[in-house]
Amino acid sequence: MDITKFVDKAAPLGVLGVKITQNNELIAQWHSEDECRRNVYSAAKSFTSCAVGFAVQEGLLSLAEKLTDIFPRELPETVGKNLAKATVRDLLTMCLGQEAGFLMGAQRPLYEEDNWVKLSLSIPFPYTPGSRFVYNNVGPYLAGILVQRRSGCDLVSYLTPRLFTHLGIKRPMWETDPMGNTFGAGGLFLTLSELHKFGLFYLNKGRWNGKQLLSPEWIEESTKPQSDPRYGYLFWRGEYNSFRADGKYCQLSIILPNQAAVVSLVAECRKGDKLMQAVYDELCAQL
């Protein structure tokens, strides 16, 4: 596969590396520098989605559980009707019911409250859960907290024997909140190749080296459109019937089931729309 045109467009936009696999064969790659672990930002959300899938598979939690039952100690004094309706599923769809994004990168160092579960639930819920798409770190953060509380360990420790070890990913670093809990909405550090393996794991519907690790039904459910057509369970939807793990500055693993392909890249890109269009026009169109 010739990716010269893509590199010509993408390199000036800050792309640092790209890998493309089709039919389980690496067909193209390009690097501007040696691979190292980088912050994949919100691509971490898709790993949290994966952790929720394992927890559902193991009977540790249900998507129908209500937040008021899960976090009784951290509820505000007055529980509004919309918070009372919110479920685990609403944590995964960006339709939680809050009106803006909270726990975002520029906000996190400034909070006086160290208990971010309590902080998250104290934020107003003006909308009915499931009714309005608002990109927000609260949902994936609380989803990650739930997995940690039910499993009795942090997200890295939870995913290591279930996912990371199988994929050959040595224990990665992942941002924590002020109380030491893994921050499931961002801050995971991976190499391009490690992020690409995650995409391949999803392309192969949770199967790796001949072993079914995660339910294919969960993979399908979590990556199809949910409350909003643009979004699954912490996966974005895109052109060519694709879905993707997507982090700030274009840390991407794009899964294209119809083409049996995965396109992954790491970048320092401030023009994400332009780069995504180059991916679609110069890479996906060739597959």
Side-chain angles (χ1 to χ4, degrees):
M1 181 179 183
D2 185 0
I3 61 171
T4 304
K5 288 184 178 179
F6 172 76
V7 172
D8 290 344
K9 289 183 178 181
L13 294 174
V15 169
L16 304 174
V18 59
K19 298 190 80 159
I20 306 165
T21 294
Q22 187 170 37
N23 297 317
N24 289 315
E25 179 182 346
L26 183 66
I27 60 172
Q29 63 179 324
W30 176 85
H31 303 269
S32 70
E33 58 182 45
D34 291 341
E35 282 195 44
C36 65
R37 279 189 167 165
R38 307 178 59 84
N39 190 347
V40 298
Y41 298 98
S42 287
K45 291 177 171 66
S46 299
F47 286 80
T48 297
S49 174
C50 184
V52 172
F54 279 114
V56 169
Q57 181 170 283
E58 294 168 5
L60 295 179
L61 59 88
S62 162
L63 297 192
E65 292 183 68
K66 292 194 172 182
L67 302 194
T68 50
D69 295 329
I70 295 166
F71 303 114
R73 297 189 305 276
E74 289 98 352
L75 292 173
E77 287 187 14
T78 302
V79 175
K81 63 178 182 179
N82 290 330
L83 171 54
K85 294 177 182 176
T87 66
V88 175
R89 182 182 182 277
D90 297 314
L91 299 178
L92 306 175
T93 63
M94 294 299 166
C95 294
L96 182 57
Q98 296 178 333
E99 64 182 343
F102 297 97
L103 300 182
M104 310 309 279
Q107 299 167 343
R108 294 199 291 278
L110 306 179
Y111 291 125
E112 293 185 7
E113 174 62 67
D114 286 344
N115 185 334
W116 287 359
V117 176
K118 182 178 179 181
L119 173 67
S120 296
L121 296 173
S122 72
I123 297 165
F125 285 68
Y127 308 120
T128 302
S131 67
R132 184 177 298 221
F133 185 93
V134 177
Y135 192 78
N136 186 359
N137 278 347
V138 167
Y141 168 71
L142 291 177
I145 291 292
L146 175 59
V147 173
Q148 291 172 84
R149 289 188 178 182
R150 295 286 171 85
S151 67
C153 62
D154 63 81
L155 285 185
V156 177
S157 296
Y158 184 70
L159 284 174
T160 292
R162 293 162 177 83
L163 179 73
F164 293 144
T165 298
H166 293 281
L167 272 56
I169 297 174
K170 297 294 185 181
R171 184 180 177 92
M173 183 170 70
W174 200 332
E175 181 182 343
T176 60
D177 70 12
M179 299 180 76
N181 304 297
T182 308
F183 184 68
L188 176 63
F189 283 70
L190 296 171
T191 67
L192 169 61
S193 292
E194 290 169 341
L195 181 60
H196 192 62
K197 287 179 182 178
F198 181 67
L200 292 171
F201 176 70
Y202 268 72
L203 177 65
N204 289 301
K205 297 186 181 298
R207 193 172 183 84
W208 196 262
N209 287 338
K211 186 175 182 180
Q212 192 71 48
L213 304 178
L214 182 57
S215 159
E217 290 78 19
W218 172 263
I219 300 279
E220 182 175 350
E221 176 71 13
S222 63
T223 58
K224 74 181 184 182
Q226 293 293 336
S227 299
D228 186 281
R230 296 167 291 177
Y231 212 70
Y233 293 156
L234 307 180
F235 281 89
W236 284 96
R237 298 283 309 175
E239 294 182 24
Y240 295 92
N241 190 38
S242 64
F243 61 90
R244 68 185 185 275
D246 185 324
K248 191 176 181 180
Y249 308 134
C250 295
Q251 324 311 316
L252 304 168
S253 190
I254 305 166
I255 298 93
L256 299 110
N258 296 355
Q259 290 79 17
V262 176
V263 177
S264 301
L265 55 148
V266 292
E268 286 291 347
C269 177
R270 268 59 175 179
K271 297 180 179 178
D273 291 345
K274 193 171 183 180
L275 179 54
M276 279 300 302
Q277 202 56 54
V279 170
Y280 288 137
D281 293 346
E282 304 300 340
L283 299 180
C284 297
Q286 290 193 59
L287 295 170

